C-alpha cells in the first residue's frame, strides 16, 4: 500500500504544491499569483482562504482526492527561534504563524493551510 504526501510551499508570488507517493514525486505544480490577484489582501495572513481554495481546486482538477492523502507538509515560516527540523502543527505554532514575531512572509501560510486541510 502506498503512502501519499501533499507538500505546500507558499512564496510571495506563487504557491508550489506536490504530491509524493512514498518517496516518488507523482505531481507538482507552481500556482502563480499576480499582483492583481493579491492586491485585495492587506496582509499575507488574509491570503489564507484564497491560497487554500486554489490548492484544493488544482488538486481536484488533477484528479486527486484529498481524503486519500496520508500526510500534509507545509513550509515553515517566520516563527520564534527553534531548532531546524520537522514539527507537528500545534497551538503554539499556529499562534506564531498567525502572529509572526519576526515579521510576515508567505511561508507562514504553509503550516496554517496544511493544518486546515488535514483537519477537514
Amino acid at each position: 500500500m502506498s503512502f501519499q504526501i501533499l507538500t505546500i510551499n507558499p512564496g510571495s508570488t506563487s504557491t508550489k504544491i506536490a504530491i509524493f507517493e512514498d518517496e516518488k514525486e507523482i505531481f507538482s505544480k507552481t500556482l502563480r499569483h499576480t499582483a492583481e490577484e493579491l492586491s485585495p489582501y492587506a496582509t499575507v495572513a488574509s491570503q489564507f482562504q484564497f491560497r487554500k481554495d486554489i490548492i484544493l481546486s488544482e488538486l481536484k482538477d488533477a484528479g486527486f482526492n484529498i481524503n486519500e492523502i496520508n500526510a500534509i507538509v507545509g513550509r515553515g515560516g517566520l516563527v520564534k527561534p527553534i531548532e531546524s527540523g520537522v514539527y507537528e502543527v500545534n497551538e503554539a505554532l499556529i499562534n506564531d504563524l498567525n502572529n509572526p514575531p519576526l515579521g510576515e512572509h508567505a511561508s507562514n501560510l504553509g503550516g496554517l493551510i496544511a493544518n486546515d486541510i488535514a483537519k477537514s
Side-chain angles (χ1 to χ4, degrees):
M1 178 167 213
S2 63
F3 191 85
Q4 287 191 342
I5 302 167
L6 166 62
T7 63
I8 302 169
N9 180 358
S12 59
T13 60
S14 68
T15 303
K16 296 176 182 173
I17 59 173
I19 293 187
F20 290 81
E21 193 164 87
D22 298 322
E23 295 180 12
K24 181 182 177 190
E25 182 181 292
I26 60 171
F27 173 81
S28 70
K29 183 88 177 216
T30 299
L31 310 170
R32 305 266 177 217
H33 314 305
T34 66
E36 183 177 87
E37 287 175 315
L38 297 177
S39 67
Y41 305 102
T43 64
V44 170
S46 64
Q47 297 173 19
F48 172 85
Q49 195 64 50
F50 165 74
R51 292 197 191 218
K52 178 187 165 196
D53 290 346
I54 287 175
I55 291 167
L56 292 175
S57 176
E58 188 63 42
L59 292 173
K60 183 179 179 183
D61 289 350
F64 291 98
N65 179 346
I66 197 68
N67 295 317
E68 294 175 0
I69 303 292
N70 303 99
I72 304 173
V73 178
R75 178 178 171 209
L78 301 178
V79 297
K80 294 175 187 159
I82 56 175
E83 191 173 325
S84 64
V86 177
Y87 290 87
E88 183 175 354
V89 178
N90 61 23
E91 290 306 314
L93 181 57
I94 289 171
N95 184 59
D96 277 1
L97 293 172
N98 278 319
N99 306 291
L102 301 175
E104 201 171 44
H105 187 271
S107 63
N108 288 36
L109 293 170
L112 296 172
I113 294 171
N115 183 60
D116 199 65
I117 293 173
K119 284 183 175 180
S120 65

